Amino acid sequence: MAGTKLFPTKVVGFREFTHILIEDTYFKENIMTVRLGDTAPDFTAETTQGTINFHEWLGDSWGVLFSHPKDFTPVCTTELGYVARIKPDFDKRNVKVIGLSVDPVDSHVKWEADIAETQGTPVNFPMIGDGDKKVSDLYEMIHPNASDTMTVRSVFVIGPDKKIKLSLTYPASTGRNFDEILRVIDSLQLTAKFKVATPANWVNGGDVIIGAAVSDEDAKTLFPQGWKTVKPYLRVLAQPK
Ligand code: BEZ
């Protein structure tokens, strides 16, 4: 069938997915894989801040959608406390953050009291209640060979055009580095504005690289301040303002 994708898979329950058997192997059919440059799948979900339609809620902002394996778990508790603490850093970059855990909203609300008590900052962004795993499935946040029931730690950064700009997958046992997410957002926002790329371990304010597709002739117009040619393909300049 045109547009149908088939993935070999372990059968983990049928939820809304179709599994078909071909010569002793089950294939998962029509699963949407969310890749860079794709439109972020839209959804309407219950959250700790009421019903949210994702695309409407994003409006013209950037967005970060990040998943948690389960409520009342220790690593997640520290992650949510940290994101709450640095929310002003997301705000000043025009980024809205939204969390998800595969438990219902009333469970999230109880958990948030513990997060405020132990992490020193109340959760100040919506948390999606995903008891039916609708959003987790939409974004492929459940990796059945890691766990049939819990989501992995996914992070999606979404641009104002609703396209996926970054996708990260961490195991349940490893808490994420949200300063790294801010660093990537700085790079994404800079490179959306200027025809540059950012080198290894770049942080905001550091030197950048002229994009490979930009000719020297075009670069003269785009970057009249000049640059240093280390190799013809490696042209370095101070971060444009
Ligand atoms: C945690 O958040 O601590 C956690 C959750 C699921 C599995 C392992 C750790």
Side-chain angles (χ1 to χ4, degrees):
M1 193 196 306
T4 296
K5 294 175 187 167
L6 296 178
F7 299 95
T9 183
K10 167 174 114 173
V11 176
V12 292
F14 285 82
R15 293 204 283 273
E16 69 259 44
F17 299 149
T18 310
H19 288 82
I20 56 173
L21 180 63
I22 302 175
E23 291 179 358
D24 292 336
T25 305
Y26 277 98
F27 288 82
K28 204 190 290 190
E29 190 182 14
N30 279 337
I31 301 303
M32 240 177 86
T33 304
V34 181
R35 295 188 179 148
L36 300 192
D38 291 353
T39 299
D42 196 16
F43 57 83
T44 298
E46 296 309 313
T47 80
T48 49
Q49 296 186 3
T51 306
I52 279 180
N53 170 265
F54 189 49
H55 282 195
E56 260 174 39
W57 175 80
L58 282 170
D60 296 329
S61 300
W62 290 70
V64 172
L65 167 65
F66 63 118
S67 63
H68 296 274
K70 200 174 162 37
D71 288 6
F72 299 100
T73 46
V75 176
C76 300
T77 299
T78 62
E79 287 189 324
L80 290 168
Y82 191 76
V83 173
R85 224 155 43 242
I86 64 166
K87 181 156 175 298
D89 294 315
F90 287 103
D91 292 341
K92 74 177 183 224
R93 290 166 173 83
N94 189 29
V95 181
K96 290 184 172 177
V97 289
I98 188 163
L100 172 150
S101 175
V102 292
D103 286 301
V105 165
D106 58 347
S107 163
H108 293 351
V109 170
K110 287 182 195 135
W111 183 26
E112 287 187 357
D114 288 357
I115 296 167
E117 180 193 324
T118 61
Q119 306 302 306
T121 313
V123 177
N124 44 15
F125 50 86
M127 281 289 291
I128 297 167
D130 199 37
D132 59 2
K133 302 185 176 64
K134 189 177 85 178
V135 180
S136 315
D137 282 340
L138 200 55
Y139 279 81
E140 280 209 284
M141 290 165 166
I142 294 180
H143 294 200
N145 290 326
S147 165
D148 285 354
T149 53
M150 295 190 296
T151 59
V152 290
R153 295 184 196 281
S154 298
V155 184
F156 293 97
V157 174
I158 295 137
D161 57 1
K162 311 287 185 297
K163 303 286 184 201
I164 302 284
K165 306 294 184 187
L166 171 81
S167 161
L168 289 176
T169 304
Y170 277 54
S173 51
T174 305
R176 288 157 285 197
N177 182 334
F178 289 92
D179 297 333
E180 167 63 1
I181 310 295
L182 288 172
R183 189 192 75 87
V184 179
I185 289 168
D186 284 341
S187 171
L188 287 167
Q189 293 186 340
L190 181 76
T191 58
K193 199 162 162 197
F194 300 102
K195 289 189 172 172
V196 297
T198 58
N201 292 3
W202 173 87
V203 287
N204 202 10
D207 285 353
V208 302
I209 292 166
I210 298 177
V214 179
S215 67
D216 277 351
E217 197 174 318
D218 289 344
K220 280 181 202 151
T221 316
L222 292 170
F223 309 111
Q225 69 275 36
W227 63 88
K228 181 179 166 202
T229 301
V230 182
K231 290 281 177 192
Y233 57 84
L234 178 53
R235 296 163 296 173
V236 177
L237 77 159
Q239 179 175 323
K241 300 274 178 269

